[in-house]
């Protein structure tokens, strides 16, 4: 954002927009749980589309729209994936929750390192494009495995 002349105060405003988007999206999470497969596909599409929009964004308004979309996707993604795990779990709930959180923790730990190397090597906007494409692969995988996801 800094490379695209977005000021520090506008970056702070974007974090505020992201937070508001997450709060509003959480209000819809109960409704979204009723349409589980549709919701998970919508969430993956929103994250992938948000990343693609960040790749192409050059103004505060464009970044704001992308952040609104990402706020929805990220706030609903975690409850949905947690629900997948909890539906399958009858025993050792604590161990499974720990493994789930450890997986996300590794992503939060190693993701910035890997993305930082990619950004330094190929440009700071390339990670958004890569994450958008990865999201499309995940979308395809979930769509192909939709019967298994619905049985969860």
């Amino acid at each position: 954002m800094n490379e695209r002349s977005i000021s520090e105060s506008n970056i702070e405003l974007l974090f505020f927009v992201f937070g508001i988007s997450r709060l509003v999206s959480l209000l819809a999470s109960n409704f979204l749980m009723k349409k589980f497969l549709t919701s998970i596909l919508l969430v993956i599409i929103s994250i992938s589309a948000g990343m693609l929009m960040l790749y192409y964004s050059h103004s505060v308004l464009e970044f704001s729209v992308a952040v609104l979309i990402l706020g929805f996707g990220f706030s609903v993604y975690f409850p949905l994936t947690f629900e997948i795990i909890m539906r399958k779990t009858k025993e050792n709930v604590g161990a499974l929750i720990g493994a789930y959180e450890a997986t996300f923790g590794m992503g939060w730990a190693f993701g910035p390192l890997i993305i930082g190397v990619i950004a330094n090597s190929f440009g700071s906007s390339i990670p958004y494009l890569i994450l958008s494409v990865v999201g499309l692969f995940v979308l395809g995988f979930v769509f192909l495995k939709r019967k298994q996801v619905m049985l969860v």
Side-chain angles (χ1 to χ4, degrees):
M1 287 186 266
N2 204 10
E3 290 176 4
R4 296 189 179 167
S5 300
I6 306 296
S7 70
E8 291 175 3
S9 60
N10 283 337
I11 292 172
E12 292 170 357
L13 179 64
L14 290 172
F15 277 104
F16 175 76
V17 169
F18 181 75
I20 295 299
S21 176
R22 290 198 64 188
L23 286 173
V24 171
S25 299
L26 285 174
L27 295 174
S29 64
N30 189 36
F31 171 76
L32 293 170
M33 293 304 290
K34 295 174 185 169
K35 302 283 186 189
F36 189 77
L37 181 62
T38 304
S39 297
I40 197 82
L41 293 174
L42 184 63
V43 163
I44 295 169
I45 289 169
S46 70
I47 293 171
S48 184
M51 290 292 175
L52 187 61
M53 288 181 74
L54 286 176
Y55 174 73
Y56 286 110
S57 293
H58 292 318
S59 71
V60 174
L61 182 62
E62 291 170 340
F63 275 103
S64 295
V65 172
V67 166
L68 282 170
I69 293 169
L70 286 169
F72 164 77
F74 283 121
S75 66
V76 179
Y77 179 78
F78 295 110
L80 286 174
T81 55
F82 192 73
E83 178 68 17
I84 291 171
I85 290 173
M86 294 311 292
R87 285 184 184 181
K88 285 268 199 192
T89 304
K90 303 292 185 235
E91 298 175 9
N92 298 325
V93 175
L96 198 53
I97 291 171
Y100 172 79
E101 289 297 325
T103 301
F104 278 108
M106 287 188 308
W108 288 108
F110 293 114
L113 177 65
I114 295 166
I115 293 299
V117 169
I118 292 170
N120 284 337
S121 300
F122 302 105
S124 61
S125 63
I126 292 297
Y128 298 116
L129 182 61
I130 291 170
L131 291 171
S132 178
V133 171
V134 168
L136 293 176
F137 281 113
V138 170
L139 179 69
F141 178 76
V142 170
F143 187 75
L144 289 173
K145 301 289 186 177
R146 65 186 176 275
K147 291 182 182 178
Q148 291 173 343
V149 170
M150 291 304 292
L151 294 175
V152 170

